[in-house]
Amino acid sequence: MPAPEKPTQSRGRILVVDDSRFVRGYVAELLEEAGYYVVQAEDGATALRRLETESFDVIVTDLNMPLLDGFAVLETVKPYLPETEFIILTAVDDLSTTVKAIRMGAYDYLVKPVDNEL
């Protein structure tokens, strides 16, 4: 069976931020197969540098990362780019952390591991 053709037009621009190369690559691959343009960043500081020169419709970010965590990225970016949606993708399965993320402006909170239902 031939590989599915890539769409000629992107469904949107997504920045995937995670310090795990495996998770970052897996999520990026799922999103690219669904027709999104995806950029990867290995930590929050790198994500902020990317946001200085590029815009994204959605930022998918881990919480626990070196240099700058996902909460810091959300807190820094959301006031300046309120139209950018944030999806938290983390191993932290804790109600108070989920509530905090949503109150800070996250659109959704997903707990790892994820499958291809993103």
Short mmCIF file of all heavy atoms in Angstrom, two decimals, residues 3-51:
data_model
loop_
_atom_site.label_atom_id
_atom_site.label_comp_id
_atom_site.label_asym_id
_atom_site.label_seq_id
_atom_site.Cartn_x
_atom_site.Cartn_y
_atom_site.Cartn_z
N ALA A 3 2.32 5.03 0.65
CA ALA A 3 2.22 5.95 1.79
C ALA A 3 1.22 7.05 1.46
O ALA A 3 1.12 7.48 0.30
CB ALA A 3 3.59 6.56 2.08
N PRO A 4 0.46 7.50 2.47
CA PRO A 4 -0.49 8.58 2.20
C PRO A 4 0.24 9.84 1.79
O PRO A 4 1.33 10.12 2.26
CB PRO A 4 -1.21 8.77 3.54
CG PRO A 4 -0.36 8.10 4.56
CD PRO A 4 0.47 7.10 3.85
N GLU A 5 -0.38 10.57 0.88
CA GLU A 5 0.22 11.82 0.42
C GLU A 5 0.13 12.87 1.51
O GLU A 5 -0.86 12.96 2.23
CB GLU A 5 -0.50 12.32 -0.83
CG GLU A 5 -0.22 11.49 -2.06
CD GLU A 5 -0.83 12.11 -3.29
OE1 GLU A 5 -1.01 13.34 -3.32
OE2 GLU A 5 -1.14 11.35 -4.21
N LYS A 6 1.18 13.68 1.58
CA LYS A 6 1.17 14.79 2.52
C LYS A 6 0.25 15.87 1.97
O LYS A 6 0.22 16.12 0.77
CB LYS A 6 2.57 15.34 2.72
CG LYS A 6 3.47 14.35 3.38
CD LYS A 6 4.35 15.04 4.35
CE LYS A 6 5.18 14.00 5.06
NZ LYS A 6 5.46 14.32 6.40
N PRO A 7 -0.52 16.53 2.84
CA PRO A 7 -1.40 17.59 2.35
C PRO A 7 -0.57 18.74 1.76
O PRO A 7 0.54 19.01 2.21
CB PRO A 7 -2.14 18.07 3.61
CG PRO A 7 -1.61 17.30 4.75
CD PRO A 7 -0.61 16.33 4.25
N THR A 8 -1.13 19.39 0.75
CA THR A 8 -0.42 20.49 0.13
C THR A 8 -0.51 21.76 0.98
O THR A 8 0.29 22.66 0.82
CB THR A 8 -0.99 20.78 -1.27
OG1 THR A 8 -2.39 21.02 -1.16
CG2 THR A 8 -0.73 19.60 -2.20
N GLN A 9 -1.47 21.83 1.85
CA GLN A 9 -1.64 23.00 2.70
C GLN A 9 -1.70 22.55 4.16
O GLN A 9 -2.39 21.60 4.49
CB GLN A 9 -2.92 23.74 2.32
CG GLN A 9 -2.99 25.13 2.86
CD GLN A 9 -4.15 25.88 2.23
OE1 GLN A 9 -5.08 25.28 1.71
NE2 GLN A 9 -4.10 27.18 2.29
N SER A 10 -0.99 23.26 5.01
CA SER A 10 -0.94 22.92 6.43
C SER A 10 -2.26 23.24 7.10
O SER A 10 -2.92 24.22 6.78
CB SER A 10 0.19 23.70 7.10
OG SER A 10 0.13 23.56 8.49
N ARG A 11 -2.62 22.42 8.10
CA ARG A 11 -3.83 22.67 8.89
C ARG A 11 -3.56 23.68 10.00
O ARG A 11 -4.46 24.13 10.67
CB ARG A 11 -4.31 21.36 9.50
CG ARG A 11 -4.77 20.37 8.46
CD ARG A 11 -5.17 19.06 9.07
NE ARG A 11 -6.31 19.22 9.95
CZ ARG A 11 -6.77 18.28 10.75
NH1 ARG A 11 -6.17 17.10 10.78
NH2 ARG A 11 -7.80 18.48 11.53
N GLY A 12 -2.29 24.01 10.21
CA GLY A 12 -1.91 24.97 11.25
C GLY A 12 -0.47 24.75 11.66
O GLY A 12 0.18 23.78 11.27
N ARG A 13 0.04 25.68 12.46
CA ARG A 13 1.43 25.66 12.90
C ARG A 13 1.49 25.30 14.38
O ARG A 13 0.84 25.95 15.20
CB ARG A 13 2.08 27.01 12.67
CG ARG A 13 2.14 27.41 11.20
CD ARG A 13 2.68 28.82 11.01
NE ARG A 13 3.96 29.02 11.65
CZ ARG A 13 5.14 28.72 11.12
NH1 ARG A 13 5.20 28.18 9.91
NH2 ARG A 13 6.26 28.95 11.78
N ILE A 14 2.28 24.28 14.71
CA ILE A 14 2.36 23.80 16.09
C ILE A 14 3.81 23.75 16.53
O ILE A 14 4.67 23.24 15.80
CB ILE A 14 1.71 22.41 16.24
CG1 ILE A 14 0.23 22.48 15.84
CG2 ILE A 14 1.87 21.89 17.67
CD1 ILE A 14 -0.49 21.15 15.86
N LEU A 15 4.07 24.24 17.73
CA LEU A 15 5.38 24.14 18.37
C LEU A 15 5.29 23.07 19.45
O LEU A 15 4.46 23.17 20.36
CB LEU A 15 5.78 25.48 18.99
CG LEU A 15 7.08 25.52 19.78
CD1 LEU A 15 8.28 25.17 18.89
CD2 LEU A 15 7.27 26.90 20.41
N VAL A 16 6.11 22.04 19.35
CA VAL A 16 6.14 20.95 20.32
C VAL A 16 7.38 21.14 21.19
O VAL A 16 8.51 21.16 20.68
CB VAL A 16 6.17 19.57 19.64
CG1 VAL A 16 6.29 18.45 20.68
CG2 VAL A 16 4.92 19.37 18.79
N VAL A 17 7.17 21.29 22.51
CA VAL A 17 8.26 21.58 23.44
C VAL A 17 8.33 20.44 24.46
O VAL A 17 7.42 20.26 25.26
CB VAL A 17 8.02 22.92 24.18
CG1 VAL A 17 9.24 23.30 24.99
CG2 VAL A 17 7.62 24.03 23.22
N ASP A 18 9.44 19.70 24.42
CA ASP A 18 9.63 18.60 25.36
C ASP A 18 11.11 18.27 25.40
O ASP A 18 11.77 18.24 24.35
CB ASP A 18 8.83 17.36 24.92
CG ASP A 18 8.62 16.37 26.04
OD1 ASP A 18 9.63 15.92 26.62
OD2 ASP A 18 7.46 16.05 26.35
N ASP A 19 11.64 18.01 26.59
CA ASP A 19 13.06 17.70 26.71
C ASP A 19 13.37 16.26 26.30
O ASP A 19 14.53 15.92 26.10
CB ASP A 19 13.58 17.99 28.11
CG ASP A 19 12.84 17.24 29.20
OD1 ASP A 19 11.63 17.01 29.06
OD2 ASP A 19 13.47 16.89 30.21
N SER A 20 12.37 15.43 26.13
CA SER A 20 12.58 14.07 25.65
C SER A 20 12.53 14.06 24.12
O SER A 20 11.49 14.35 23.52
CB SER A 20 11.50 13.13 26.19
OG SER A 20 11.51 11.91 25.48
N ARG A 21 13.64 13.73 23.51
CA ARG A 21 13.70 13.67 22.05
C ARG A 21 12.69 12.67 21.50
O ARG A 21 12.04 12.90 20.48
CB ARG A 21 15.10 13.29 21.59
CG ARG A 21 15.24 13.29 20.09
CD ARG A 21 16.57 12.80 19.64
NE ARG A 21 17.64 13.31 20.48
CZ ARG A 21 18.88 13.46 20.10
NH1 ARG A 21 19.22 13.14 18.88
NH2 ARG A 21 19.80 13.89 20.93
N PHE A 22 12.52 11.54 22.20
CA PHE A 22 11.58 10.52 21.76
C PHE A 22 10.14 11.06 21.76
O PHE A 22 9.42 10.93 20.77
CB PHE A 22 11.67 9.28 22.64
CG PHE A 22 10.61 8.27 22.34
CD1 PHE A 22 10.71 7.45 21.23
CD2 PHE A 22 9.49 8.15 23.15
CE1 PHE A 22 9.72 6.52 20.93
CE2 PHE A 22 8.50 7.23 22.86
CZ PHE A 22 8.61 6.42 21.74
N VAL A 23 9.72 11.66 22.87
CA VAL A 23 8.35 12.18 22.97
C VAL A 23 8.13 13.28 21.94
O VAL A 23 7.12 13.31 21.23
CB VAL A 23 8.04 12.69 24.40
CG1 VAL A 23 6.71 13.41 24.45
CG2 VAL A 23 8.07 11.54 25.38
N ARG A 24 9.08 14.20 21.87
CA ARG A 24 8.99 15.32 20.92
C ARG A 24 8.83 14.81 19.50
O ARG A 24 7.96 15.26 18.75
CB ARG A 24 10.27 16.15 21.06
CG ARG A 24 10.15 17.57 20.79
CD ARG A 24 11.41 18.37 21.11
NE ARG A 24 12.64 17.84 20.56
CZ ARG A 24 13.68 17.43 21.28
NH1 ARG A 24 13.66 17.49 22.59
NH2 ARG A 24 14.77 16.99 20.69
N GLY A 25 9.66 13.85 19.13
CA GLY A 25 9.61 13.30 17.78
C GLY A 25 8.32 12.55 17.50
O GLY A 25 7.75 12.66 16.41
N TYR A 26 7.87 11.78 18.49
CA TYR A 26 6.63 11.01 18.32
C TYR A 26 5.42 11.93 18.13
O TYR A 26 4.62 11.75 17.20
CB TYR A 26 6.43 10.11 19.54
CG TYR A 26 5.16 9.30 19.51
CD1 TYR A 26 5.01 8.23 18.63
CD2 TYR A 26 4.10 9.59 20.36
CE1 TYR A 26 3.85 7.48 18.59
CE2 TYR A 26 2.93 8.84 20.33
CZ TYR A 26 2.82 7.79 19.44
OH TYR A 26 1.66 7.05 19.41
N VAL A 27 5.31 12.94 18.98
CA VAL A 27 4.18 13.88 18.88
C VAL A 27 4.26 14.65 17.57
O VAL A 27 3.25 14.81 16.87
CB VAL A 27 4.16 14.83 20.10
CG1 VAL A 27 3.13 15.94 19.91
CG2 VAL A 27 3.88 14.05 21.38
N ALA A 28 5.46 15.09 17.21
CA ALA A 28 5.63 15.82 15.95
C ALA A 28 5.22 14.95 14.76
O ALA A 28 4.53 15.43 13.85
CB ALA A 28 7.07 16.29 15.81
N GLU A 29 5.62 13.70 14.77
CA GLU A 29 5.27 12.80 13.68
C GLU A 29 3.76 12.61 13.56
O GLU A 29 3.20 12.67 12.46
CB GLU A 29 5.95 11.45 13.88
CG GLU A 29 5.69 10.46 12.76
CD GLU A 29 6.40 9.14 12.98
OE1 GLU A 29 7.49 9.12 13.57
OE2 GLU A 29 5.84 8.11 12.55
N LEU A 30 3.08 12.42 14.69
CA LEU A 30 1.62 12.27 14.66
C LEU A 30 0.95 13.52 14.09
O LEU A 30 0.03 13.42 13.27
CB LEU A 30 1.08 12.03 16.08
CG LEU A 30 1.36 10.69 16.73
CD1 LEU A 30 0.85 10.68 18.16
CD2 LEU A 30 0.72 9.56 15.93
N LEU A 31 1.42 14.66 14.52
CA LEU A 31 0.81 15.92 14.06
C LEU A 31 1.11 16.20 12.59
O LEU A 31 0.24 16.66 11.84
CB LEU A 31 1.28 17.07 14.94
CG LEU A 31 0.79 17.02 16.39
CD1 LEU A 31 1.52 18.03 17.25
CD2 LEU A 31 -0.72 17.24 16.45
N GLU A 32 2.33 15.90 12.16
CA GLU A 32 2.68 16.08 10.75
C GLU A 32 1.85 15.16 9.86
O GLU A 32 1.38 15.57 8.80
CB GLU A 32 4.17 15.84 10.54
CG GLU A 32 5.03 16.97 11.07
CD GLU A 32 6.51 16.64 11.12
OE1 GLU A 32 6.88 15.44 10.98
OE2 GLU A 32 7.30 17.59 11.31
N GLU A 33 1.65 13.92 10.31
CA GLU A 33 0.82 12.99 9.54
C GLU A 33 -0.61 13.47 9.44
O GLU A 33 -1.32 13.16 8.48
CB GLU A 33 0.87 11.60 10.16
CG GLU A 33 2.18 10.88 9.94
CD GLU A 33 2.26 9.54 10.65
OE1 GLU A 33 1.29 9.14 11.32
OE2 GLU A 33 3.32 8.89 10.52
N ALA A 34 -1.05 14.25 10.43
CA ALA A 34 -2.41 14.80 10.41
C ALA A 34 -2.49 16.10 9.61
O ALA A 34 -3.56 16.71 9.51
CB ALA A 34 -2.88 15.05 11.85
N GLY A 35 -1.36 16.54 9.06
CA GLY A 35 -1.37 17.69 8.17
C GLY A 35 -0.92 19.01 8.78
O GLY A 35 -1.09 20.06 8.16
N TYR A 36 -0.33 18.98 9.96
CA TYR A 36 0.13 20.21 10.60
C TYR A 36 1.59 20.46 10.29
O TYR A 36 2.37 19.53 10.09
CB TYR A 36 -0.05 20.13 12.12
CG TYR A 36 -1.48 20.05 12.54
CD1 TYR A 36 -2.09 18.81 12.77
CD2 TYR A 36 -2.26 21.20 12.67
CE1 TYR A 36 -3.42 18.73 13.14
CE2 TYR A 36 -3.59 21.12 13.04
CZ TYR A 36 -4.16 19.89 13.27
OH TYR A 36 -5.48 19.80 13.62
N TYR A 37 1.96 21.74 10.28
CA TYR A 37 3.37 22.14 10.20
C TYR A 37 3.88 22.15 11.63
O TYR A 37 3.30 22.82 12.49
CB TYR A 37 3.49 23.53 9.57
CG TYR A 37 4.89 24.08 9.64
CD1 TYR A 37 5.86 23.67 8.73
CD2 TYR A 37 5.25 25.00 10.62
CE1 TYR A 37 7.15 24.16 8.79
CE2 TYR A 37 6.54 25.50 10.69
CZ TYR A 37 7.48 25.08 9.77
OH TYR A 37 8.76 25.57 9.84
N VAL A 38 4.96 21.41 11.92
CA VAL A 38 5.43 21.24 13.29
C VAL A 38 6.90 21.67 13.41
O VAL A 38 7.73 21.31 12.59
CB VAL A 38 5.29 19.77 13.75
CG1 VAL A 38 5.77 19.60 15.18
CG2 VAL A 38 3.84 19.32 13.63
N VAL A 39 7.16 22.43 14.47
CA VAL A 39 8.52 22.80 14.85
C VAL A 39 8.75 22.23 16.24
O VAL A 39 7.85 22.22 17.07
CB VAL A 39 8.69 24.34 14.85
CG1 VAL A 39 10.03 24.75 15.42
CG2 VAL A 39 8.50 24.88 13.44
N GLN A 40 9.98 21.77 16.50
CA GLN A 40 10.30 21.18 17.79
C GLN A 40 11.28 22.05 18.57
O GLN A 40 12.15 22.69 17.97
CB GLN A 40 10.93 19.80 17.59
CG GLN A 40 10.02 18.81 16.89
CD GLN A 40 10.69 17.47 16.69
OE1 GLN A 40 11.38 16.98 17.57
NE2 GLN A 40 10.48 16.87 15.54
N ALA A 41 11.12 22.06 19.90
CA ALA A 41 12.05 22.74 20.80
C ALA A 41 12.32 21.82 21.98
O ALA A 41 11.40 21.21 22.52
CB ALA A 41 11.48 24.06 21.28
N GLU A 42 13.59 21.74 22.40
CA GLU A 42 13.97 20.79 23.46
C GLU A 42 13.78 21.33 24.87
O GLU A 42 13.94 20.58 25.83
CB GLU A 42 15.41 20.31 23.27
CG GLU A 42 16.44 21.39 23.36
CD GLU A 42 16.74 22.05 22.03
OE1 GLU A 42 16.07 21.78 21.02
OE2 GLU A 42 17.66 22.88 22.02
N ASP A 43 13.44 22.59 25.01
CA ASP A 43 13.17 23.15 26.34
C ASP A 43 12.46 24.49 26.19
O ASP A 43 12.30 25.00 25.08
CB ASP A 43 14.46 23.30 27.16
CG ASP A 43 15.51 24.15 26.46
OD1 ASP A 43 15.19 25.28 26.05
OD2 ASP A 43 16.66 23.68 26.32
N GLY A 44 12.03 25.04 27.32
CA GLY A 44 11.28 26.28 27.29
C GLY A 44 12.06 27.46 26.77
O GLY A 44 11.52 28.32 26.06
N ALA A 45 13.35 27.53 27.09
CA ALA A 45 14.18 28.64 26.62
C ALA A 45 14.29 28.63 25.10
O ALA A 45 14.18 29.67 24.44
CB ALA A 45 15.56 28.58 27.27
N THR A 46 14.47 27.44 24.54
CA THR A 46 14.53 27.32 23.08
C THR A 46 13.19 27.69 22.46
O THR A 46 13.14 28.35 21.43
CB THR A 46 14.93 25.88 22.68
OG1 THR A 46 16.18 25.57 23.30
CG2 THR A 46 15.05 25.73 21.19
N ALA A 47 12.11 27.30 23.10
CA ALA A 47 10.78 27.65 22.61
C ALA A 47 10.60 29.17 22.56
O ALA A 47 10.09 29.70 21.56
CB ALA A 47 9.70 27.02 23.49
N LEU A 48 11.00 29.85 23.60
CA LEU A 48 10.87 31.32 23.61
C LEU A 48 11.69 31.96 22.50
O LEU A 48 11.25 32.93 21.88
CB LEU A 48 11.25 31.89 24.97
CG LEU A 48 10.31 31.55 26.12
CD1 LEU A 48 10.77 32.23 27.40
CD2 LEU A 48 8.86 31.91 25.81
N ARG A 49 12.88 31.43 22.25
CA ARG A 49 13.69 31.97 21.15
C ARG A 49 13.00 31.76 19.81
O ARG A 49 13.02 32.63 18.95
CB ARG A 49 15.08 31.33 21.15
CG ARG A 49 15.98 31.88 22.25
CD ARG A 49 17.44 31.50 22.05
NE ARG A 49 17.68 30.07 22.05
CZ ARG A 49 17.86 29.32 23.14
NH1 ARG A 49 17.82 29.89 24.34
NH2 ARG A 49 18.07 28.03 23.05
N ARG A 50 12.37 30.60 19.62
CA ARG A 50 11.64 30.34 18.37
C ARG A 50 10.47 31.31 18.21
O ARG A 50 10.17 31.76 17.12
CB ARG A 50 11.10 28.90 18.33
CG ARG A 50 12.11 27.79 18.28
CD ARG A 50 13.05 27.86 17.11
NE ARG A 50 12.47 27.73 15.81
CZ ARG A 50 12.62 26.68 15.01
NH1 ARG A 50 13.34 25.65 15.39
NH2 ARG A 50 12.08 26.67 13.81
N LEU A 51 9.82 31.62 19.33
CA LEU A 51 8.65 32.51 19.29
C LEU A 51 9.03 33.96 18.99
O LEU A 51 8.16 34.76 18.64
CB LEU A 51 7.89 32.42 20.61
CG LEU A 51 7.11 31.11 20.77
CD1 LEU A 51 6.75 30.88 22.23
CD2 LEU A 51 5.87 31.13 19.89
#
